[in-house]
Amino acid sequence: MPAIPAASVANLRDLGGLPLGDGRAVRSGLALRSAQLDRLDPAEPAVADLGIRTVVDLRTETERGDRPDRLPAGARLLVADVLADHLAVSGLPPAARLKVLLSDPALAEEHLGGGRVRAAFARTYRTFVSGDSARAAYRTLLTELGTPGAGPVLFHCSAGKDRTGWAATVVLSLLGADEETVRDEYLSVNTAVRQAFAPMIEGFTAQGGDPELALDLIGVLPEYLEAGLDEVAVRHGSMEKYVREGLGVPDEVTALIRERLTVHAA
């Protein structure tokens, strides 16, 4: 799933075209994902041509305040803070601290070494499923995607990999994508994220930092996604029930999402 080549938005992707089986695919141009939009140029053709109508911002209040979104022309903003009730106890550093940690290998090792970063991400992905603010945030996104007449929706967090990755997983699973397609789409962000953080990673390792720790922190791993999917299975039994019971999204909205976002492949 290659990124859309936009100079002013990192990790910009369209879920459209991904296979759903039975000769179906995700309809292009309606469900888009990206990193934060603080540097977005609304006039850039790669952005303007998408015709984005709604931006769903999954970031925290602090993240939004530090790097507020610049909206595409004519788009409205929906705030859907996934980690409002969780970030302080997650064990993960706020995005603003990433640069601090990756500039000090000893500090990074102290706070995140010994497998702690992977454990923290696993806990956080489980919170994507069970946390109150997370459930409200993902309900907001799905409700927008299932609104009749809604135009293209762009959802994003900071790097566009974890909160955004889980959102894409839920959407694709609802549409009927198989496990391999969901996993491949989730992992496809790693190239773009590692490119974006390459200077920071190189500096970290040059100072003696553990490159695996850096990659665990700035990238995504299959085990992170598996933690979220396991939480769905344990609490709800299926993605369908998670969306209906956990997120409180009515079946008629789910049906509209499937209708709007599904096309029979040529």
Side-chain angles (χ1 to χ4, degrees):
M1 184 182 167
I4 296 170
S8 65
V9 185
N11 217 357
L12 177 59
R13 298 165 188 274
D14 185 350
L15 298 186
L18 290 171
L20 299 174
D22 298 324
R24 300 175 304 123
V26 181
R27 191 184 302 274
S28 295
L30 290 180
L32 304 142
R33 57 177 291 183
S34 75
Q36 60 199 14
L37 306 181
D38 59 312
R39 298 182 180 180
L40 178 137
D41 176 3
E44 182 181 3
V47 174
D49 290 349
L50 296 172
I52 295 164
R53 294 273 296 278
T54 305
V55 171
V56 180
D57 188 343
L58 304 174
R59 298 177 300 166
T60 63
E61 182 179 5
T62 299
E63 290 171 316
R64 299 193 306 272
D66 289 344
R67 296 182 179 274
D69 275 351
R70 301 182 65 186
L71 295 181
R76 68 187 180 109
L77 177 66
L78 293 179
V79 171
D81 186 343
V82 172
L83 295 177
D85 59 3
H86 176 69
L87 189 61
V89 296
S90 70
L92 288 175
R97 289 204 67 209
L98 277 179
K99 290 184 178 180
V100 175
L101 289 170
L102 289 178
S103 66
D104 188 337
L107 188 66
E109 186 64 34
E110 176 186 348
H111 288 279
L112 299 170
R116 277 174 289 181
V117 65
R118 293 192 179 193
F121 270 113
R123 288 194 302 272
T124 298
Y125 273 69
R126 290 184 183 278
T127 299
F128 291 167
V129 177
S130 59
D132 290 340
S133 60
R135 294 202 305 266
Y138 292 120
R139 179 169 62 247
T140 295
L141 171 62
L142 292 180
T143 299
E144 184 64 22
L145 288 171
T147 298
V153 176
L154 171 68
F155 53 94
H156 77 89
C157 51
S158 289
K161 65 185 185 75
D162 298 303
R163 288 163 286 186
T164 300
W166 180 250
T169 290
V170 174
V171 172
L172 290 173
S173 298
L174 275 184
L175 296 179
D178 62 25
E179 292 180 6
E180 183 179 3
T181 298
V182 170
R183 184 180 62 252
D184 289 349
E185 192 282 331
Y186 171 76
L187 294 173
S188 69
V189 303
N190 272 330
T191 299
V193 171
R194 288 172 180 176
Q195 286 175 347
F197 284 91
M200 206 177 296
I201 296 171
E202 290 168 5
F204 181 76
T205 55
Q207 295 178 72
D210 180 357
E212 184 173 327
L213 172 58
L215 293 174
D216 288 350
L217 182 60
I218 62 93
V220 294
L221 298 177
E223 66 191 70
Y224 301 164
L225 180 61
E226 288 162 8
L229 294 174
D230 181 70
E231 191 75 2
V232 167
V234 169
R235 286 180 175 268
H236 302 287
S238 70
M239 188 66 75
E240 191 97 10
K241 288 185 177 180
Y242 158 63
V243 170
R244 180 189 304 120
E245 301 167 1
L247 302 185
V249 176
D251 288 347
E252 53 267 31
V253 173
T254 298
L256 277 169
I257 292 172
R258 289 172 173 148
E259 180 182 334
R260 291 189 66 238
L261 298 186
T262 302
V263 65
H264 284 280

